[in-house]
mmCIF file of all heavy atoms in Angstrom:
data_model
loop_
_atom_site.group_PDB
_atom_site.id
_atom_site.type_symbol
_atom_site.label_atom_id
_atom_site.label_comp_id
_atom_site.label_asym_id
_atom_site.label_seq_id
_atom_site.Cartn_x
_atom_site.Cartn_y
_atom_site.Cartn_z
ATOM 1 N N LEU Q 430 109.625 98.390 87.600
ATOM 2 C CA LEU Q 430 109.620 97.958 88.990
ATOM 3 C C LEU Q 430 109.623 96.469 89.042
ATOM 4 O O LEU Q 430 108.905 95.827 88.223
ATOM 5 C CB LEU Q 430 108.339 98.532 89.718
ATOM 6 C CG LEU Q 430 108.251 99.988 89.993
ATOM 7 C CD1 LEU Q 430 106.843 100.297 90.609
ATOM 8 C CD2 LEU Q 430 109.264 100.413 90.959
ATOM 9 N N GLN Q 431 110.259 95.914 89.970
ATOM 10 C CA GLN Q 431 110.343 94.405 90.173
ATOM 11 C C GLN Q 431 110.458 94.181 91.718
ATOM 12 O O GLN Q 431 111.422 94.697 92.293
ATOM 13 C CB GLN Q 431 111.389 93.708 89.438
ATOM 14 C CG GLN Q 431 111.355 92.240 89.618
ATOM 15 C CD GLN Q 431 112.171 91.403 88.594
ATOM 16 O OE1 GLN Q 431 111.835 91.297 87.501
ATOM 17 N NE2 GLN Q 431 113.401 90.979 89.055
ATOM 18 N N TYR Q 432 109.574 93.357 92.257
ATOM 19 C CA TYR Q 432 109.635 93.019 93.698
ATOM 20 C C TYR Q 432 109.739 91.539 93.764
ATOM 21 O O TYR Q 432 108.985 90.766 93.188
ATOM 22 C CB TYR Q 432 108.335 93.486 94.414
ATOM 23 C CG TYR Q 432 108.284 93.071 95.837
ATOM 24 C CD1 TYR Q 432 109.154 93.683 96.769
ATOM 25 C CD2 TYR Q 432 107.435 92.068 96.267
ATOM 26 C CE1 TYR Q 432 109.087 93.266 98.107
ATOM 27 C CE2 TYR Q 432 107.352 91.708 97.567
ATOM 28 C CZ TYR Q 432 108.158 92.278 98.496
ATOM 29 O OH TYR Q 432 108.187 91.895 99.783
ATOM 30 N N THR Q 433 110.766 91.053 94.556
ATOM 31 C CA THR Q 433 111.043 89.642 94.693
ATOM 32 C C THR Q 433 110.658 89.231 96.190
ATOM 33 O O THR Q 433 111.121 89.805 97.139
ATOM 34 C CB THR Q 433 112.490 89.313 94.457
ATOM 35 O OG1 THR Q 433 112.890 89.790 93.164
ATOM 36 C CG2 THR Q 433 112.782 87.827 94.565
ATOM 37 N N ASP Q 434 109.775 88.200 96.240
ATOM 38 C CA ASP Q 434 109.320 87.725 97.587
ATOM 39 C C ASP Q 434 109.337 86.152 97.530
ATOM 40 O O ASP Q 434 108.357 85.579 97.105
ATOM 41 C CB ASP Q 434 107.962 88.286 97.855
ATOM 42 C CG ASP Q 434 107.500 87.784 99.237
ATOM 43 O OD1 ASP Q 434 108.323 87.223 100.040
ATOM 44 O OD2 ASP Q 434 106.287 87.825 99.539
ATOM 45 N N GLU Q 435 110.493 85.580 97.763
ATOM 46 C CA GLU Q 435 110.700 84.119 97.697
ATOM 47 C C GLU Q 435 110.283 83.644 96.289
ATOM 48 O O GLU Q 435 111.006 83.938 95.363
ATOM 49 C CB GLU Q 435 109.936 83.449 98.807
ATOM 50 C CG GLU Q 435 110.464 83.825 100.222
ATOM 51 C CD GLU Q 435 109.676 83.102 101.321
ATOM 52 O OE1 GLU Q 435 108.653 82.534 101.054
ATOM 53 O OE2 GLU Q 435 110.142 83.126 102.410
ATOM 54 N N SER Q 436 109.212 82.905 96.135
ATOM 55 C CA SER Q 436 108.890 82.254 94.882
ATOM 56 C C SER Q 436 108.107 83.292 94.012
ATOM 57 O O SER Q 436 107.847 82.956 92.850
ATOM 58 C CB SER Q 436 107.994 81.034 95.076
ATOM 59 O OG SER Q 436 108.733 80.050 95.805
ATOM 60 N N TRP Q 437 107.829 84.451 94.495
ATOM 61 C CA TRP Q 437 107.030 85.470 93.762
ATOM 62 C C TRP Q 437 107.902 86.506 93.106
ATOM 63 O O TRP Q 437 108.861 86.998 93.721
ATOM 64 C CB TRP Q 437 106.062 86.160 94.642
ATOM 65 C CG TRP Q 437 104.875 85.368 95.066
ATOM 66 C CD1 TRP Q 437 104.783 84.625 96.263
ATOM 67 C CD2 TRP Q 437 103.646 85.165 94.421
ATOM 68 N NE1 TRP Q 437 103.624 83.985 96.303
ATOM 69 C CE2 TRP Q 437 102.857 84.270 95.219
ATOM 70 C CE3 TRP Q 437 103.150 85.576 93.222
ATOM 71 C CZ2 TRP Q 437 101.588 83.866 94.872
ATOM 72 C CZ3 TRP Q 437 101.848 85.157 92.828
ATOM 73 C CH2 TRP Q 437 101.091 84.373 93.618
ATOM 74 N N LEU Q 438 107.579 86.839 91.807
ATOM 75 C CA LEU Q 438 108.177 88.013 91.161
ATOM 76 C C LEU Q 438 107.066 88.905 90.671
ATOM 77 O O LEU Q 438 106.154 88.420 89.936
ATOM 78 C CB LEU Q 438 108.994 87.593 89.951
ATOM 79 C CG LEU Q 438 110.474 87.148 90.170
ATOM 80 C CD1 LEU Q 438 111.076 86.826 88.798
ATOM 81 C CD2 LEU Q 438 111.300 88.240 90.790
ATOM 82 N N TRP Q 439 107.039 90.107 91.212
ATOM 83 C CA TRP Q 439 105.993 91.046 90.765
ATOM 84 C C TRP Q 439 106.681 92.108 89.845
ATOM 85 O O TRP Q 439 107.692 92.664 90.263
ATOM 86 C CB TRP Q 439 105.335 91.733 92.002
ATOM 87 C CG TRP Q 439 104.536 90.774 92.877
ATOM 88 C CD1 TRP Q 439 104.996 90.072 93.902
ATOM 89 C CD2 TRP Q 439 103.169 90.345 92.654
ATOM 90 N NE1 TRP Q 439 104.006 89.266 94.419
ATOM 91 C CE2 TRP Q 439 102.869 89.498 93.685
ATOM 92 C CE3 TRP Q 439 102.172 90.763 91.740
ATOM 93 C CZ2 TRP Q 439 101.618 88.937 93.793
ATOM 94 C CZ3 TRP Q 439 100.933 90.147 91.901
ATOM 95 C CH2 TRP Q 439 100.658 89.205 92.879
ATOM 96 N N LYS Q 440 106.021 92.354 88.692
ATOM 97 C CA LYS Q 440 106.699 93.179 87.670
ATOM 98 C C LYS Q 440 105.816 94.235 87.152
ATOM 99 O O LYS Q 440 104.557 94.052 87.047
ATOM 100 C CB LYS Q 440 107.156 92.340 86.489
ATOM 101 C CG LYS Q 440 107.975 91.113 86.909
ATOM 102 C CD LYS Q 440 108.293 90.198 85.723
ATOM 103 C CE LYS Q 440 109.023 89.000 86.116
ATOM 104 N NZ LYS Q 440 109.426 88.177 84.879
ATOM 105 N N LEU Q 441 106.395 95.381 86.802
ATOM 106 C CA LEU Q 441 105.617 96.467 86.177
ATOM 107 C C LEU Q 441 106.535 97.276 85.194
ATOM 108 O O LEU Q 441 107.641 97.641 85.610
ATOM 109 C CB LEU Q 441 105.003 97.465 87.247
ATOM 110 C CG LEU Q 441 104.347 98.645 86.695
ATOM 111 C CD1 LEU Q 441 103.090 98.315 86.003
ATOM 112 C CD2 LEU Q 441 104.076 99.630 87.824
ATOM 113 N N GLU Q 442 106.029 97.628 84.011
ATOM 114 C CA GLU Q 442 106.593 98.567 83.097
ATOM 115 C C GLU Q 442 105.512 99.505 82.657
ATOM 116 O O GLU Q 442 104.374 99.087 82.352
ATOM 117 C CB GLU Q 442 107.145 97.874 81.876
ATOM 118 C CG GLU Q 442 108.328 96.985 82.104
ATOM 119 C CD GLU Q 442 108.901 96.445 80.801
ATOM 120 O OE1 GLU Q 442 108.874 97.202 79.799
ATOM 121 O OE2 GLU Q 442 109.414 95.309 80.786
ATOM 122 N N THR Q 443 105.790 100.765 82.755
ATOM 123 C CA THR Q 443 104.849 101.856 82.350
ATOM 124 C C THR Q 443 105.606 102.935 81.593
ATOM 125 O O THR Q 443 106.692 103.301 81.966
ATOM 126 C CB THR Q 443 103.990 102.349 83.553
ATOM 127 O OG1 THR Q 443 103.084 103.288 83.048
ATOM 128 C CG2 THR Q 443 104.953 103.018 84.546
ATOM 129 N N ILE Q 444 104.947 103.574 80.663
ATOM 130 C CA ILE Q 444 105.524 104.674 79.923
ATOM 131 C C ILE Q 444 104.519 105.777 79.683
ATOM 132 O O ILE Q 444 103.277 105.608 79.751
ATOM 133 C CB ILE Q 444 105.996 104.268 78.472
ATOM 134 C CG1 ILE Q 444 104.842 103.761 77.633
ATOM 135 C CG2 ILE Q 444 107.119 103.218 78.608
ATOM 136 C CD1 ILE Q 444 105.156 103.596 76.212
ATOM 137 N N ARG Q 445 105.031 107.008 79.560
ATOM 138 C CA ARG Q 445 104.238 108.216 79.152
ATOM 139 C C ARG Q 445 105.004 108.769 77.921
ATOM 140 O O ARG Q 445 106.136 109.097 77.939
ATOM 141 C CB ARG Q 445 104.273 109.271 80.248
ATOM 142 C CG ARG Q 445 103.453 110.541 79.851
ATOM 143 C CD ARG Q 445 103.592 111.538 80.959
ATOM 144 N NE ARG Q 445 102.758 112.746 80.695
ATOM 145 C CZ ARG Q 445 103.220 113.813 80.008
ATOM 146 N NH1 ARG Q 445 104.549 113.833 79.595
ATOM 147 N NH2 ARG Q 445 102.485 114.904 79.797
ATOM 148 N N ARG Q 446 104.227 108.821 76.840
ATOM 149 C CA ARG Q 446 104.920 109.306 75.541
ATOM 150 C C ARG Q 446 104.165 110.507 74.992
ATOM 151 O O ARG Q 446 102.903 110.556 74.951
ATOM 152 C CB ARG Q 446 104.822 108.110 74.544
ATOM 153 C CG ARG Q 446 105.475 108.598 73.204
ATOM 154 C CD ARG Q 446 105.473 107.473 72.158
ATOM 155 N NE ARG Q 446 106.313 106.359 72.536
ATOM 156 C CZ ARG Q 446 106.578 105.262 71.750
ATOM 157 N NH1 ARG Q 446 106.022 105.207 70.579
ATOM 158 N NH2 ARG Q 446 107.364 104.340 72.194
ATOM 159 N N THR Q 447 104.890 111.505 74.552
ATOM 160 C CA THR Q 447 104.345 112.668 73.862
ATOM 161 C C THR Q 447 104.996 112.760 72.450
ATOM 162 O O THR Q 447 106.103 112.367 72.311
ATOM 163 C CB THR Q 447 104.584 113.943 74.619
ATOM 164 O OG1 THR Q 447 106.022 114.169 74.784
ATOM 165 C CG2 THR Q 447 104.005 113.881 76.073
ATOM 166 N N GLY Q 448 104.279 113.357 71.579
ATOM 167 C CA GLY Q 448 104.858 113.590 70.211
ATOM 168 C C GLY Q 448 104.402 112.676 69.167
ATOM 169 O O GLY Q 448 104.529 113.010 67.959
ATOM 170 N N GLN Q 449 103.753 111.562 69.506
ATOM 171 C CA GLN Q 449 103.196 110.642 68.485
ATOM 172 C C GLN Q 449 101.670 110.693 68.599
ATOM 173 O O GLN Q 449 101.111 109.754 69.200
ATOM 174 C CB GLN Q 449 103.799 109.242 68.670
ATOM 175 C CG GLN Q 449 103.536 108.353 67.490
ATOM 176 C CD GLN Q 449 104.487 107.148 67.518
ATOM 177 O OE1 GLN Q 449 105.029 106.774 68.558
ATOM 178 N NE2 GLN Q 449 104.627 106.475 66.395
ATOM 179 N N GLY Q 450 101.071 111.714 68.134
ATOM 180 C CA GLY Q 450 99.634 111.891 68.423
ATOM 181 C C GLY Q 450 99.537 112.578 69.776
ATOM 182 O O GLY Q 450 100.327 113.169 70.348
ATOM 183 N N SER Q 451 98.310 112.270 70.394
ATOM 184 C CA SER Q 451 98.038 112.748 71.730
ATOM 185 C C SER Q 451 98.945 112.046 72.750
ATOM 186 O O SER Q 451 99.385 110.847 72.599
ATOM 187 C CB SER Q 451 96.612 112.583 72.083
ATOM 188 O OG SER Q 451 95.712 113.215 71.193
ATOM 189 N N THR Q 452 99.233 112.762 73.836
ATOM 190 C CA THR Q 452 100.015 112.173 74.980
ATOM 191 C C THR Q 452 99.261 111.002 75.518
ATOM 192 O O THR Q 452 97.980 111.032 75.698
ATOM 193 C CB THR Q 452 100.219 113.170 76.038
ATOM 194 O OG1 THR Q 452 101.003 114.263 75.541
ATOM 195 C CG2 THR Q 452 100.918 112.536 77.188
ATOM 196 N N TYR Q 453 99.941 109.890 75.722
ATOM 197 C CA TYR Q 453 99.257 108.690 76.190
ATOM 198 C C TYR Q 453 100.131 107.947 77.179
ATOM 199 O O TYR Q 453 101.348 108.146 77.302
ATOM 200 C CB TYR Q 453 98.861 107.779 75.024
ATOM 201 C CG TYR Q 453 100.026 107.056 74.391
ATOM 202 C CD1 TYR Q 453 100.373 105.699 74.846
ATOM 203 C CD2 TYR Q 453 100.781 107.539 73.362
ATOM 204 C CE1 TYR Q 453 101.434 105.025 74.334
ATOM 205 C CE2 TYR Q 453 101.799 106.838 72.789
ATOM 206 C CZ TYR Q 453 102.133 105.577 73.299
ATOM 207 O OH TYR Q 453 103.204 104.910 72.744
ATOM 208 N N TYR Q 454 99.470 107.032 77.987
ATOM 209 C CA TYR Q 454 100.088 106.143 78.876
ATOM 210 C C TYR Q 454 99.901 104.715 78.462
ATOM 211 O O TYR Q 454 98.835 104.359 77.898
ATOM 212 C CB TYR Q 454 99.561 106.351 80.359
ATOM 213 C CG TYR Q 454 99.939 107.696 80.927
ATOM 214 C CD1 TYR Q 454 99.090 108.870 80.629
ATOM 215 C CD2 TYR Q 454 101.027 107.857 81.756
ATOM 216 C CE1 TYR Q 454 99.350 110.042 81.235
ATOM 217 C CE2 TYR Q 454 101.256 109.106 82.324
ATOM 218 C CZ TYR Q 454 100.447 110.241 82.015
ATOM 219 O OH TYR Q 454 100.751 111.405 82.607
ATOM 220 N N ALA Q 455 100.780 103.878 78.804
ATOM 221 C CA ALA Q 455 100.656 102.468 78.621
ATOM 222 C C ALA Q 455 101.416 101.685 79.726
ATOM 223 O O ALA Q 455 102.338 102.200 80.279
ATOM 224 C CB ALA Q 455 101.210 101.985 77.243
ATOM 225 N N TYR Q 456 100.894 100.527 80.039
ATOM 226 C CA TYR Q 456 101.638 99.755 81.082
ATOM 227 C C TYR Q 456 101.423 98.251 80.797
ATOM 228 O O TYR Q 456 100.455 97.836 80.220
ATOM 229 C CB TYR Q 456 101.145 100.105 82.483
ATOM 230 C CG TYR Q 456 99.722 99.791 82.805
ATOM 231 C CD1 TYR Q 456 99.326 98.469 83.194
ATOM 232 C CD2 TYR Q 456 98.713 100.736 82.784
ATOM 233 C CE1 TYR Q 456 98.002 98.158 83.471
ATOM 234 C CE2 TYR Q 456 97.371 100.427 83.040
ATOM 235 C CZ TYR Q 456 97.053 99.148 83.354
ATOM 236 O OH TYR Q 456 95.760 98.832 83.647
ATOM 237 N N THR Q 457 102.325 97.481 81.395
ATOM 238 C CA THR Q 457 102.274 96.005 81.450
ATOM 239 C C THR Q 457 102.714 95.600 82.824
ATOM 240 O O THR Q 457 103.751 96.013 83.253
ATOM 241 C CB THR Q 457 103.192 95.343 80.371
ATOM 242 O OG1 THR Q 457 102.834 95.765 79.076
ATOM 243 C CG2 THR Q 457 103.100 93.860 80.448
ATOM 244 N N GLY Q 458 101.937 94.854 83.500
ATOM 245 C CA GLY Q 458 102.240 94.451 84.787
ATOM 246 C C GLY Q 458 101.710 93.077 85.248
ATOM 247 O O GLY Q 458 100.737 92.687 84.616
ATOM 248 N N GLY Q 459 102.315 92.445 86.148
ATOM 249 C CA GLY Q 459 101.818 91.105 86.575
ATOM 250 C C GLY Q 459 102.774 90.400 87.490
ATOM 251 O O GLY Q 459 103.569 91.037 88.207
ATOM 252 N N PHE Q 460 102.753 89.116 87.394
ATOM 253 C CA PHE Q 460 103.585 88.261 88.357
ATOM 254 C C PHE Q 460 104.113 87.079 87.712
ATOM 255 O O PHE Q 460 103.614 86.675 86.600
ATOM 256 C CB PHE Q 460 102.646 87.898 89.545
ATOM 257 C CG PHE Q 460 101.569 86.888 89.161
ATOM 258 C CD1 PHE Q 460 101.851 85.540 89.174
ATOM 259 C CD2 PHE Q 460 100.327 87.321 88.779
ATOM 260 C CE1 PHE Q 460 100.862 84.617 88.822
ATOM 261 C CE2 PHE Q 460 99.345 86.421 88.420
ATOM 262 C CZ PHE Q 460 99.680 85.070 88.469
ATOM 263 N N GLU Q 461 105.080 86.404 88.352
ATOM 264 C CA GLU Q 461 105.536 85.046 87.984
ATOM 265 C C GLU Q 461 105.761 84.308 89.336
ATOM 266 O O GLU Q 461 106.554 84.770 90.182
ATOM 267 C CB GLU Q 461 106.753 85.061 87.152
ATOM 268 C CG GLU Q 461 107.243 83.705 86.775
ATOM 269 C CD GLU Q 461 108.362 83.699 85.735
ATOM 270 O OE1 GLU Q 461 108.633 84.760 85.209
ATOM 271 O OE2 GLU Q 461 108.902 82.595 85.455
ATOM 272 N N TYR Q 462 105.077 83.167 89.494
ATOM 273 C CA TYR Q 462 105.256 82.351 90.660
ATOM 274 C C TYR Q 462 105.848 81.026 90.226
ATOM 275 O O TYR Q 462 105.385 80.405 89.340
ATOM 276 C CB TYR Q 462 103.907 82.098 91.337
ATOM 277 C CG TYR Q 462 104.081 81.279 92.656
ATOM 278 C CD1 TYR Q 462 104.418 81.878 93.866
ATOM 279 C CD2 TYR Q 462 103.999 79.880 92.630
ATOM 280 C CE1 TYR Q 462 104.539 81.107 94.994
ATOM 281 C CE2 TYR Q 462 104.167 79.128 93.762
ATOM 282 C CZ TYR Q 462 104.487 79.752 94.950
ATOM 283 O OH TYR Q 462 104.657 79.059 96.121
ATOM 284 N N THR Q 463 106.949 80.649 90.933
ATOM 285 C CA THR Q 463 107.732 79.489 90.555
ATOM 286 C C THR Q 463 107.612 78.362 91.565
ATOM 287 O O THR Q 463 107.833 78.588 92.744
ATOM 288 C CB THR Q 463 109.250 79.748 90.377
ATOM 289 O OG1 THR Q 463 109.382 80.850 89.419
ATOM 290 C CG2 THR Q 463 110.022 78.564 90.000
ATOM 291 N N PHE Q 464 107.164 77.207 91.050
ATOM 292 C CA PHE Q 464 107.182 76.001 91.931
ATOM 293 C C PHE Q 464 108.546 75.219 91.709
ATOM 294 O O PHE Q 464 108.824 74.802 90.540
ATOM 295 C CB PHE Q 464 106.051 75.105 91.465
ATOM 296 C CG PHE Q 464 104.692 75.628 91.660
ATOM 297 C CD1 PHE Q 464 104.015 76.337 90.613
ATOM 298 C CD2 PHE Q 464 103.918 75.491 92.900
ATOM 299 C CE1 PHE Q 464 102.771 76.859 90.851
ATOM 300 C CE2 PHE Q 464 102.709 76.007 93.048
ATOM 301 C CZ PHE Q 464 102.102 76.746 92.015
ATOM 302 N N TYR Q 465 109.311 75.177 92.734
ATOM 303 C CA TYR Q 465 110.586 74.602 92.626
ATOM 304 C C TYR Q 465 110.540 73.051 92.896
ATOM 305 O O TYR Q 465 109.881 72.643 93.854
ATOM 306 C CB TYR Q 465 111.655 75.254 93.584
ATOM 307 C CG TYR Q 465 111.909 76.678 93.307
ATOM 308 C CD1 TYR Q 465 111.206 77.674 93.954
ATOM 309 C CD2 TYR Q 465 112.736 77.111 92.221
ATOM 310 C CE1 TYR Q 465 111.412 79.020 93.625
ATOM 311 C CE2 TYR Q 465 112.936 78.391 91.944
ATOM 312 C CZ TYR Q 465 112.307 79.388 92.629
ATOM 313 O OH TYR Q 465 112.509 80.635 92.317
ATOM 314 N N GLY Q 466 111.242 72.270 92.126
ATOM 315 C CA GLY Q 466 111.243 70.836 92.328
ATOM 316 C C GLY Q 466 109.907 70.219 92.223
ATOM 317 O O GLY Q 466 109.489 69.438 93.126
ATOM 318 N N VAL Q 467 109.183 70.428 91.134
ATOM 319 C CA VAL Q 467 107.794 69.976 91.006
ATOM 320 C C VAL Q 467 107.824 68.450 90.917
ATOM 321 O O VAL Q 467 108.714 67.829 90.421
ATOM 322 C CB VAL Q 467 107.147 70.548 89.714
ATOM 323 C CG1 VAL Q 467 106.930 72.015 89.872
ATOM 324 C CG2 VAL Q 467 107.948 70.296 88.518
ATOM 325 N N VAL Q 468 106.752 67.786 91.552
ATOM 326 C CA VAL Q 468 106.616 66.416 91.661
ATOM 327 C C VAL Q 468 107.894 65.690 92.015
ATOM 328 O O VAL Q 468 108.282 64.715 91.424
ATOM 329 C CB VAL Q 468 105.990 65.831 90.344
ATOM 330 C CG1 VAL Q 468 104.579 66.244 90.119
ATOM 331 C CG2 VAL Q 468 106.802 66.140 89.114
ATOM 332 N N GLN Q 469 108.577 66.291 92.999
ATOM 333 C CA GLN Q 469 109.768 65.724 93.586
ATOM 334 C C GLN Q 469 110.865 65.404 92.487
ATOM 335 O O GLN Q 469 111.598 64.426 92.560
ATOM 336 C CB GLN Q 469 109.487 64.407 94.312
ATOM 337 C CG GLN Q 469 108.531 64.610 95.492
ATOM 338 C CD GLN Q 469 108.262 63.319 96.262
ATOM 339 O OE1 GLN Q 469 108.429 62.233 95.709
ATOM 340 N NE2 GLN Q 469 107.813 63.519 97.478
ATOM 341 N N SER Q 470 110.945 66.399 91.517
ATOM 342 C CA SER Q 470 111.979 66.323 90.533
ATOM 343 C C SER Q 470 112.914 67.551 90.716
ATOM 344 O O SER Q 470 112.721 68.375 91.549
ATOM 345 C CB SER Q 470 111.408 66.253 89.139
ATOM 346 O OG SER Q 470 110.777 67.532 88.804
#
């Protein structure tokens, strides 16, 4: 999943795996915020 809101990027990856030991879930999620033209550059 990825959601774009102007300078914000919200991201998520998640998996469900079976067959390698017990069934398990894992995820990575977060954001990236971009400052454009920092210090007038």
Side-chain angles (χ1 to χ4, degrees):
L430 291 174
Q431 180 169 284
Y432 175 71
T433 305
D434 181 16
E435 296 182 346
S436 298
W437 289 92
L438 277 179
W439 295 91
K440 308 175 183 183
L441 174 68
E442 293 184 34
T443 182
I444 62 169
R445 177 183 185 270
R446 180 180 293 186
T447 63
Q449 194 164 18
S451 301
T452 299
Y453 74 92
Y454 293 84
Y456 66 80
T457 301
F460 69 89
E461 181 170 353
Y462 182 85
T463 301
F464 297 92
Y465 296 100
V467 291
V468 292
Q469 297 182 340
S470 71

